[in-house]
């Protein structure tokens, strides 16, 4: 699974990149930079090409979190990302909304950035336990720390592991797939490359190769 992190801020460019890479990706992750500049309707536009994961990293009280999730799914999202540190009530509330829409929920364990080791990493094992208990679809684990991906994989049971932090942030596709990722999330390495199409094709081939080798 290769998820395109489409963090461009121009609606036309976003649609262009999604279109030319769509053959090689399994889903498009939409984050605040795109939604805040192009509007929430970009989710519906992109969902005509590929399933869209709304990366709103929801981390509010359950009521507000439900409202955010409802808007994302009503706008055509197939999946949503919620912060595990917000706690089980928030994650459960988001899952309830997702269930009504037949959508998937991914829980962030610890951020791939350095800051993810300051506070989040101390609790990410517990976050995985909670995600399992609540029965979400998957977790987001840091491709910048292969050893953590391996540990989180062991704890995650049947949950899917999606890993951002590849290439531009330093994560290696081979190492992360070997550590047990089910898929990778890649943004700048694709959309900032001179040929996003070729880059997506290359990365997708590498992921397929790893799936054969390690799964
Ligand atoms: P890039 O490949 O350009 O570094 O983008 C990674 C994407 O994944 C961004 O949308 C970022 O917000 C997201 N992300 C991340 O990098 N690390 C995390 O721990 C969680 C994320 O959602």
């Amino acid at each position: 699974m290769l998820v395109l992190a489409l963090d461009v801020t121009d609606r036309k460019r976003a649609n262009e990149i999604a279109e030319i890479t769509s053959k090689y990706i399994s889903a498009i992750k939409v984050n605040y930079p795109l939604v805040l500049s192009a509007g929430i309707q970009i989710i519906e536009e992109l969902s005509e090409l590929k399933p869209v994961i709304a990366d709103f990293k929801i981390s509010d009280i359950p009521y507000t979190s439900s409202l955010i999730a409802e808007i994302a799914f009503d706008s055509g999202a197939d999946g949503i990302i919620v912060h595990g540190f917000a706690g089980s009530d928030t994650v459960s509330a988001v899952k309830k909304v997702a269930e009504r829409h037949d959508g998937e929920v991914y829980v962030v364990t610890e951020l791939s950035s350095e800051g993810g080791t300051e506070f989040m990493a101390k609790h990410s094992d517990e976050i995985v336990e909670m995600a399992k208990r609540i029965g979400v679809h998957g977790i987001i684990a840091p491709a910048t720390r292969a050893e953590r991906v391996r540990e989180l994989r062991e704890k995650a049971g049947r949950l899917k592991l999606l890993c951002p932090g590849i290439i531009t942030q330093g994560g290696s596709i081979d190492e992360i797939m070997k550590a047990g990722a089910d898929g990778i999330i890649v943004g700048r390495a694709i959309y900032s490359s001179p040929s996003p199409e070729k880059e997506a094709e290359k990365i997708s081939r590498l992921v397929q190769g790893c799936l054969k080798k390690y799964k």
Side-chain angles (χ1 to χ4, degrees), residues 32 40 84 123 141 156 166 187 208:
Y32 291 110
I40 190 81
H123 294 283
I166 294 287
Q208 296 312 319

Side-chain angles (χ1 to χ4, degrees), residues 5 7 29 31 55 57 81 108 110-113 140 142 164-166 168-169 185-189 191:
D7 296 328
K29 185 176 80 63
N31 198 338
D55 180 7
K57 292 198 179 65
I81 298 181
V108 180
E110 53 183 77
L111 286 174
S112 57
S113 46
I140 307 291
I166 294 287
T168 315
Q169 294 180 49
I185 297 175
V186 183
R188 286 165 287 179
Y191 67 72

Side-chain angles (χ1 to χ4, degrees), residues 3 10 41 48 69 71-72 79 81 86-87 93 103 106 114-115 122 127 144 155 165 195 203:
V3 178
D10 179 81
Q41 62 281 4
E48 279 163 28
I71 293 169
I81 298 181
Y106 291 89
E114 219 15 70
K122 296 181 179 75
I127 288 175
T144 46
K155 294 190 189 317
S195 171
I203 294 173

